């Protein structure tokens, strides 16, 4: 037995002990674990953004625990086992990679993606968009939807066209703002955001990661402004917009 298989078997045995002996673990259900799993996923995402290999390893371990936990609960309820989960994904991967496990030839990554979506339709899915979870954050969902429809050729030819679309949507947003129609503004703002995400996707940039990096950058700069003003016995609330802008420009030097 390989080292990986031994470690996985150890985790399964520990999970059996926890469900049999630990009051907290015995009480958990798939519903109670759900929000914790989402939290763990975000923690893994943050570790990846920080490129922290130690944290990534730890967060992956936490997610492995959750996956085993769900499978254990399902086994107790005679729904499925962890072996069925693993064999199921193995069979799916083999079926969806005929260029590896069959006689299909592909030219590049994009052809692999197109074949993947077509094979999913053969599995009984009625739409290539069925695989996009409703619970995804809106920005992630937008990028996944765009990636999916690209596989059937519904996409721009170049980034200049996408940029033109952004300008078009911005013009429509400007009109909505002039009309002061809240519903229209919301609708057009959504179109602007969708177009910007499309540009990110077209240039192979993760829009969510890009925005999070900007969030972190903004927080770092603003906290520098707070610390600097405190050191000088000043209050940001008492400063003019010109003074705040000057302080902001100073903060940018410490990125």
């Amino acid at each position: 037995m390989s080292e990986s298989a031994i470690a996985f078997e150890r985790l399964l045995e520990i999970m059996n002990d926890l469900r049999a002996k630990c009051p907290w673990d015995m009480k958990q259900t798939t519903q109670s674990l759900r929000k914790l799993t989402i939290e763990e996923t975000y923690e893994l995402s943050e570790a990846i953004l920080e490129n922290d290999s130690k944290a990534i390893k730890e967060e992956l371990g936490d997610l492995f625990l959750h996956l085993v936990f769900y499978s254990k609960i399902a086994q107790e309820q005679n729904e499925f086992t962890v072996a069925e989960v693993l064999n199921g994904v193995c069979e799916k991967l083999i079926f969806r990679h005929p260029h590896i496990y069959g006689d299909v030839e592909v030219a590049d990554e994009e052809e692999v993606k197109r074949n993947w979506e077509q094979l999913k339709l053969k599995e009984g899915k009625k739409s290539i968009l069925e695989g996009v979870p409703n619970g995804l954050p809106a920005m992630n969902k937008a990028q996944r939807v765009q990636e999916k429809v690209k596989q059937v050729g519904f996409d721009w030819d170049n980034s200049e066209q996408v940029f033109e679309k952004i300008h078009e949507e911005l013009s429509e947003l400007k009109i909505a703002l002039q009309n002061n129609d809240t519903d229209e503004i919301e609708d057009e703002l959504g179109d602007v955001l969708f177009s910007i995400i499309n540009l990110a996707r077209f240039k192979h940039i993760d829009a969510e990661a890009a925005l999070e990096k900007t969030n972190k950058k903004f927080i770092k700069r603003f906290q520098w402004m707070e610390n600097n003003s405190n050191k000088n016995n000043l209050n940001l609330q008492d400063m003019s917009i010109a003074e705040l802008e000057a302080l902001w420009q100073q903060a940018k030097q410490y990125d």
Side-chain angles (χ1 to χ4, degrees):
M1 185 181 293
S2 68
E3 182 180 357
S4 298
I6 292 172
F8 189 68
E9 184 65 32
R10 183 186 180 199
L11 177 58
L12 294 177
E13 291 174 357
I14 291 174
M15 187 74 258
N16 290 338
D17 288 339
L18 296 179
R19 284 294 283 182
K21 302 173 184 178
C22 175
W24 185 88
D25 290 282
M26 292 168 64
K27 186 179 179 180
Q28 300 312 304
T29 66
T30 54
Q31 293 299 321
S32 68
L33 288 173
R34 177 181 172 274
K35 61 181 182 295
L36 299 177
T37 307
I38 293 173
E39 181 180 322
E40 294 293 352
T41 304
Y42 274 107
E43 290 178 358
L44 172 61
S45 176
E46 183 173 352
I48 292 172
L49 285 175
E50 295 293 335
N51 198 27
D52 186 337
S53 61
K54 181 179 179 181
I56 292 173
K57 181 177 72 172
E58 182 177 347
E59 298 306 334
L60 283 174
D62 291 340
L63 277 180
F64 264 114
L65 171 61
H66 278 242
L67 300 179
V68 168
F69 212 148
Y70 287 119
S71 299
K72 175 62 177 177
I73 293 172
Q75 182 177 0
E76 293 169 352
Q77 299 173 351
N78 295 317
E79 294 175 348
F80 56 80
T81 66
V82 68
E84 291 173 323
V85 171
L86 296 176
N87 283 323
V89 73
C90 287
E91 293 301 324
K92 181 163 62 177
L93 288 171
I94 291 171
F95 177 74
R96 293 184 185 177
H97 289 79
H99 53 289
I100 302 296
Y101 301 101
D103 54 6
V104 173
E105 294 185 3
V106 293
D108 52 27
E109 174 192 358
E110 291 304 318
E111 191 170 352
V112 170
K113 290 180 180 178
R114 287 194 295 271
N115 288 345
W116 180 279
E117 297 300 340
Q118 293 303 314
L119 288 168
K120 288 172 70 174
L121 292 175
K122 289 182 179 180
E123 293 173 347
K125 296 185 183 298
K126 297 179 180 179
S127 168
I128 62 170
L129 297 178
E130 282 187 25
V132 181
N134 289 328
L136 270 182
M139 182 171 291
N140 295 107
K141 182 185 290 186
Q143 192 150 355
R144 287 298 291 142
V145 165
Q146 294 165 4
E147 290 169 352
K148 292 281 188 179
V149 299
K150 175 186 178 181
Q151 303 311 319
V152 296
F154 192 63
D155 198 11
W156 303 99
D157 293 325
N158 53 64
S159 58
E160 285 74 19
Q161 292 176 333
V162 186
F163 206 71
E164 288 175 7
K165 183 63 177 176
I166 293 174
H167 280 288
E168 176 188 325
E169 298 297 351
L170 282 170
S171 297
E172 294 177 2
L173 174 60
K174 186 176 182 179
I175 294 172
L177 289 167
Q178 292 171 346
N179 295 335
N180 199 28
D181 185 322
T182 302
D183 290 339
E184 185 182 1
I185 292 171
E186 181 183 47
D187 187 55
E188 298 301 339
L189 183 59
D191 289 345
V192 169
L193 293 172
F194 193 85
S195 298
I196 291 173
I197 293 168
N198 217 339
L199 179 61
R201 189 268 313 168
F202 203 90
K203 301 304 291 184
H204 308 291
I205 293 172
D206 184 338
E208 177 74 20
L211 181 58
E212 180 58 17
K213 288 179 181 178
T214 296
N215 287 338
K216 289 180 178 295
K217 181 169 61 178
F218 183 93
I219 290 170
K220 179 182 177 182
R221 291 176 180 176
F222 191 82
Q223 288 178 338
W224 184 92
M225 291 171 62
E226 290 177 317
N227 292 332
N228 182 273
S229 60
N230 288 335
K231 288 178 182 178
N232 292 284
N233 296 317
L234 299 173
N235 192 326
L236 292 181
Q237 294 177 326
D238 298 329
M239 294 183 184
S240 67
I241 188 63
E243 291 172 325
L244 289 171
E245 176 61 24
L247 200 57
W248 176 262
Q249 292 301 325
Q250 292 181 46
K252 290 170 64 175
Q253 300 175 18
Y254 295 92
D255 285 348

